[in-house]
Amino acid sequence: MFAHLQRLRLWLLAWAALSLLSGVYIARGELARQQDVFDTNARIVHRLLSQQVVQHDAILATLALLHGGNAADRPEQRLPALYGQIAAAAHRGANETWPSPELANAEAESLRLKRAVLADVDLQKGTYQLVLAAQPDSYALTIALRNMVPWAEWPMKPDTSPVQVRLDLGAKTYTVQAGRPFAPEDAGWTFEARKVLAAESQPFEVVSRLLVPWSALPWTYMLISAGAIALALLRGRMLVQQHTQQRREEERQRVGQRTRLNTLGELAAGMAHEINQPLTAILANTQAASRLLDDAEPDLTAARSAMQMAVQQARRASDVVGRLRRTVERPGSAAAVQSVDLHAACQHALYLLEPELQRGRCTPTLTVVGTPLEVQADPVALEQIIHNLLTNALQAMEQVQPPQRTLQLVLSHTATHGVLRVQDSGPGIPPDALAKVFEPFFSTREGGLGLGLSLCESLAQGMSAHLSAANLPTQGAEFTLQMPLATPAP
């Protein structure tokens, strides 16, 4: 059960890791897509606003070329009607002065730089003045920033777009598009683009910013991806379980075939022992009946009695043969005694019996006392012994309630031997049966052949090991297998 939970935890960890990687991949893809859209929109915004401010320079240059004329027909007076962003236009004639010192200072700066310059900039109100010094007249435009934005060509919906767009001039700022509000505690990703307008006379910096909060990530697609990964892993786990079950079944069949082969030897020995006496009796009785019939005066009564006794012994032999229920599928050869890791052999046996352990709701424990050592054993025979001992323990615990079922395997060693103890919490072995548990055809389980433990003892003796049985002080039985160590214990 513990191994099952461990494997389940590994699958869950794999799902969590793959889901996390998939979510990061999807989130990064979405962020990259949003940044590409943001960068494209920021370039369009800069281009549109740059076209507007360049147009302002062109208007002032045109006015300077069209200087002169009477006061009633000045071209700058028609500009507000033609251009929505021009709130007002003014000029200073040769003998006139500007109405404000800002315009006068700007004209002097424009004369020095030989280009238009900014005069009064009030970004809080969203206006600024642009002055161009010329001869004989100088001109000034008052620009309304709100009307300067070409909304018809704007790449975003200003009322719903999360992108914030503003114009910065030093510490002064004018918000063109509010976008999603920013706060210091906001968590997420921030995209920003900064670029000065393409007019030296109006050096406003266009700042575009976008906050992408965690809530804007494609959680639906990420959850769908996690679900798809879960289904794929579930399918993979089912395939692995099927493959594992198939391999486990093949291993169990292999162990079963070897067990049946060895059982055949036990049965042959038991058959020879059980049938020898009735055959001897049959031979003696038939010989006696033959002698009685050969007499000059045959004693038919005695001969008949001898023949009846021979019949009874023949029936007894027939009963013995009728108890030999087994099937041998395929013989195999025993391996030579060699160094075997006892701990690994126990783990392999528990692995083969894992489905039975789960069905019996029994969680085994494997305890190693001291340093694990290797023993001298026939690997196949050792595997059969452990498998039979565990199977007997599971069958014995069928008589107790699942919460009371405990199966313990304890490994220890002496100076010369490795020791395996298999302990169960079943009803134990009746005291009068302890001395006979290893005898052929003796079984305390109804329907049992009584050959499993006999086979285990024979296999143990064949590799110089010793198998014994006892009852635990509290409840249950304990089978102890002692095998020579491959190397002496330190």
Side-chain angles (χ1 to χ4, degrees):
M1 184 67 68
F2 177 76
H4 177 72
L5 293 177
Q6 280 289 96
R7 288 194 293 270
L8 180 59
R9 183 168 20 174
L10 289 176
W11 281 102
L12 290 176
L13 288 175
W15 171 78
L18 291 175
S19 297
L20 179 61
L21 291 175
S22 173
V24 170
Y25 177 79
I26 293 174
R28 290 187 63 179
E30 175 62 17
L31 290 173
R33 186 192 67 81
Q34 292 201 30
Q35 184 164 18
D36 288 342
V37 173
F38 169 80
D39 292 341
T40 300
N41 290 337
R43 287 194 296 269
I44 295 174
V45 165
H46 178 268
R47 177 174 55 80
L48 291 176
L49 294 178
S50 293
Q51 289 174 353
Q52 295 296 103
V53 295
V54 168
Q55 186 181 59
H56 301 158
D57 284 345
I59 291 173
L60 285 174
T62 302
L63 290 176
L65 291 174
L66 299 175
H67 64 83
N70 55 63
D73 188 24
R74 303 293 302 179
E76 72 273 8
Q77 296 176 357
R78 295 191 296 273
L79 290 177
L82 298 174
Y83 301 97
Q85 73 269 30
I86 300 179
H91 85 284
R92 182 197 63 78
N95 300 318
E96 297 176 343
T97 59
W98 291 107
S100 67
E102 290 84 359
L103 292 172
N105 294 335
E107 182 185 16
E109 184 68 11
S110 173
L111 186 61
R112 185 180 68 84
L113 297 177
K114 297 184 177 3
R115 61 170 174 81
V117 297
L118 292 174
D120 183 22
V121 179
D122 190 349
L123 295 186
Q124 186 174 1
K125 292 181 179 180
T127 62
Y128 69 90
Q129 290 181 315
L130 188 63
V131 177
L132 176 64
Q135 293 296 330
D137 298 340
S138 296
Y139 295 89
L141 300 178
T142 301
I143 306 299
L145 288 171
R146 182 64 185 174
N147 296 331
M148 186 182 79
V149 180
W151 297 112
E153 304 174 57
W154 202 247
M156 299 165 282
K157 294 182 179 179
D159 297 333
T160 59
S161 174
V163 179
Q164 181 189 80
V165 180
R166 68 174 192 264
L167 292 175
D168 287 358
L169 185 65
K172 299 177 181 180
T173 295
Y174 174 77
T175 301
V176 178
Q177 180 174 287
R180 181 181 286 122
F182 284 74
E185 66 276 7
D186 287 339
W189 295 263
T190 302
F191 304 144
E192 185 175 272
R194 293 175 172 268
K195 195 171 184 181
V196 178
L197 292 176
E200 192 176 5
S201 62
Q202 301 154 78
F204 295 102
E205 185 177 33
V206 183
V207 180
S208 300
R209 294 187 69 191
L210 171 63
L211 170 66
V212 182
W214 284 89
S215 58
L217 294 178
W219 293 105
T220 301
Y221 292 104
M222 294 163 71
L223 291 175
I224 292 175
S225 174
I229 291 172
L231 291 176
L233 287 178
L234 181 61
R235 176 60 179 166
R237 185 168 183 264
M238 291 174 61
L239 292 175
V240 170
Q241 285 180 334
Q242 290 176 1
H243 180 66
T244 302
Q245 185 63 26
Q246 182 179 1
R247 289 179 56 192
R248 182 185 289 118
E249 195 60 34
E250 292 173 354
E251 285 287 309
R252 291 180 59 185
Q253 289 179 2
R254 179 178 59 82
V255 174
Q257 289 166 0
R258 290 171 179 159
T259 300
R260 283 190 290 272
L261 178 62
N262 289 324
T263 301
L264 179 61
E266 281 299 302
L267 288 175
M271 186 191 314
H273 175 76
E274 293 282 341
I275 297 181
N276 184 56
Q277 289 182 349
L279 288 178
T280 302
I282 290 172
L283 178 61
N285 283 301
T286 54
Q287 288 175 343
S290 178
R291 285 195 303 272
L292 291 171
L293 293 175
D294 288 340
D295 289 343
E297 295 182 3
D299 189 347
L300 297 179
T301 302
R304 186 178 294 109
S305 176
M307 293 302 294
Q308 289 176 351
M309 292 178 63
V311 169
Q312 291 176 0
Q313 293 298 326
R315 287 175 178 168
R316 177 185 170 191
S318 177
D319 292 339
V320 171
V321 174
R323 292 187 312 180
L324 304 180
R325 298 170 298 166
R326 81 279 183 264
T327 302
V328 180
E329 293 181 359
R330 185 170 56 199
S333 59
V337 174
Q338 56 188 269
S339 179
V340 179
D341 187 337
L342 184 56
H343 183 265
C346 292
Q347 285 183 319
H348 185 63
L350 290 174
Y351 165 76
L352 292 179
L353 288 172
E354 185 175 327
E356 284 75 7
L357 292 168
Q358 292 178 357
R359 282 195 294 271
R361 288 183 283 180
C362 177
T363 303
T365 58
L366 178 57
T367 305
V368 180
V369 180
T371 304
L373 296 175
E374 294 190 347
V375 296
Q376 287 286 352
D378 177 346
V380 177
L382 179 59
E383 183 179 47
Q384 291 178 265
I385 293 173
I386 299 174
H387 189 277
N388 284 342
L389 293 180
L390 294 177
T391 301
N392 283 350
L394 287 174
Q395 293 172 349
M397 288 189 292
E398 291 176 354
Q399 304 178 42
V400 299
Q401 296 298 319
Q404 301 174 355
R405 297 173 184 172
T406 58
L407 179 60
Q408 295 184 346
L409 289 79
V410 182
L411 303 180
S412 59
H413 63 83
T414 64
T416 58
H417 286 76
V419 182
L420 165 63
R421 291 182 174 86
V422 178
Q423 303 170 344
D424 64 67
S425 59
I429 304 172
D432 58 341
L434 268 175
K436 298 184 291 184
V437 292
F438 297 114
E439 292 183 3
F441 306 111
F442 176 81
S443 176
T444 59
R445 185 168 60 88
E446 183 179 356
L449 288 176
L451 291 170
L453 291 177
S454 175
L455 172 62
C456 290
E457 185 186 41
S458 298
L459 293 174
Q461 291 176 353
M463 53 185 183
S464 302
H466 176 69
L467 180 63
S468 61
N471 283 319
L472 294 172
T474 54
Q475 177 183 343
E478 178 185 69
F479 286 85
T480 303
L481 178 64
Q482 301 183 50
M483 292 156 287
L485 291 173
T487 55

